[in-house]
Amino acid sequence: MAASTRVPQPVIEAARGGKCVEDPALMRRNHMELLKHQRDETVHGGIRTGKYSLKACIACHASQTTGSVTAKDTNFCQSCHNYAAVKIDCFGCHANKPQVKP
């Protein structure tokens, strides 16, 4: 009976890339701090490359069915943020899909 009262875990789709840039446990706890640090380097220092760029995360984690990280509740960012009851505000300004290459 205890199993039926548990909160369901988020459904995380497989990434498009290979291994993540960091250990998954570290990323679960610290991804926002890493993204903010990268943001500061980009905005204040003009450094647009980086291990923790939002663009790289989206390119790797966009759903293979929707092409997005937030279009459906099962998409990578959306599933975990729903689970944690955290609003995603990155995509008010940033694209939630990888850039299409011509």
Side-chain angles (χ1 to χ4, degrees), residues 80-99:
C80 287
H81 283 83
N82 284 348
Y83 176 75
V86 176
K87 182 180 182 231
I88 304 173
D89 60 0
C90 309
F91 305 110
C93 298
H94 297 280
N96 64 356
K97 295 182 176 186
Q99 187 176 28

Side-chain angles (χ1 to χ4, degrees), residues 21-22 26-27 31 34-39 49-57:
V21 296
E22 293 291 350
L26 183 138
M27 292 305 285
H31 70 281
L34 298 171
L35 287 170
K36 284 194 278 186
H37 177 73
Q38 181 65 47
R39 175 203 62 195
T49 59
K51 186 176 179 180
Y52 307 115
S53 74
L54 185 60
K55 185 176 180 178
C57 296

Side-chain angles (χ1 to χ4, degrees), residues 1-9:
M1 180 137 180
S4 65
T5 61
R6 294 189 55 116
V7 175
Q9 297 293 309

Side-chain angles (χ1 to χ4, degrees), residues 12-68:
I12 302 173
E13 296 180 30
R16 294 174 182 225
K19 188 177 178 187
C20 191
V21 296
E22 293 291 350
D23 177 66
L26 183 138
M27 292 305 285
R28 282 184 202 108
R29 290 192 178 270
N30 300 304
H31 70 281
M32 198 58 225
E33 294 305 317
L34 298 171
L35 287 170
K36 284 194 278 186
H37 177 73
Q38 181 65 47
R39 175 203 62 195
D40 291 347
E41 284 188 349
T42 300
V43 173
H44 301 293
I47 303 165
R48 294 206 168 268
T49 59
K51 186 176 179 180
Y52 307 115
S53 74
L54 185 60
K55 185 176 180 178
C57 296
I58 293 167
C60 188
H61 289 290
S63 167
Q64 295 184 24
T65 56
T66 66
S68 173

